[in-house]
Amino acid sequence: MQLAPDYETYQKIFWHQSVAAEHGVDPVTVLESYCIDLGKWGSLNMHYQNNLLDHTEPDYAQKYQYFTGLQDKWRNHFQEEYSSSKSDLSGDINF
């Protein structure tokens, strides 16, 4: 949990690898830049996906807005960061 001690850090890493992968960057390389291997990433996913939102809690709507706000923040951040990167997955194929 030290590598992603809170939900915001988790979302930052999640969206970094997700958007980078859309631009041809290996998502494992992104995880490694945060000193996280696939096993640790799996554990972080289990922790943050299973323990944060319980729709039966009275503050669910407030928490949901907070969490979706963080998702939007980091998705937009990395989409902007990679906006000038173009992936050409077939550029080295000769027909």
Side-chain angles (χ1 to χ4, degrees):
M1 300 314 306
Q2 294 174 328
L3 301 171
D6 55 37
Y7 189 71
E8 181 164 6
T9 304
Y10 169 76
Q11 283 298 309
K12 177 183 178 185
I13 297 167
F14 176 87
W15 285 107
H16 188 175
Q17 73 162 355
S18 180
V19 173
E22 292 174 3
H23 292 275
V25 176
D26 178 15
V28 173
T29 303
V30 173
L31 290 176
E32 289 172 348
S33 73
Y34 292 96
C35 300
I36 298 174
D37 61 30
L38 288 176
K40 290 175 188 171
W41 185 242
S43 295
L44 287 168
N45 280 316
M46 291 296 293
H47 172 74
Y48 284 112
Q49 297 303 318
N50 292 332
N51 295 327
L52 288 176
L53 285 177
D54 178 354
H55 69 280
T56 63
E57 291 184 17
D59 61 348
Y60 172 79
Q62 180 181 4
K63 284 184 178 180
Y64 180 81
Q65 286 182 344
Y66 171 73
F67 292 143
T68 56
L70 288 177
Q71 292 169 356
D72 292 344
K73 171 186 174 181
W74 290 111
R75 179 180 48 248
N76 293 337
H77 170 83
F78 287 110
Q79 285 176 338
E80 185 175 319
E81 183 175 309
Y82 283 92
S83 65
S84 63
S85 299
K86 296 189 182 214
S87 61
D88 182 9
L89 300 178
S90 63
D92 61 344
I93 299 173
N94 296 318
F95 294 97

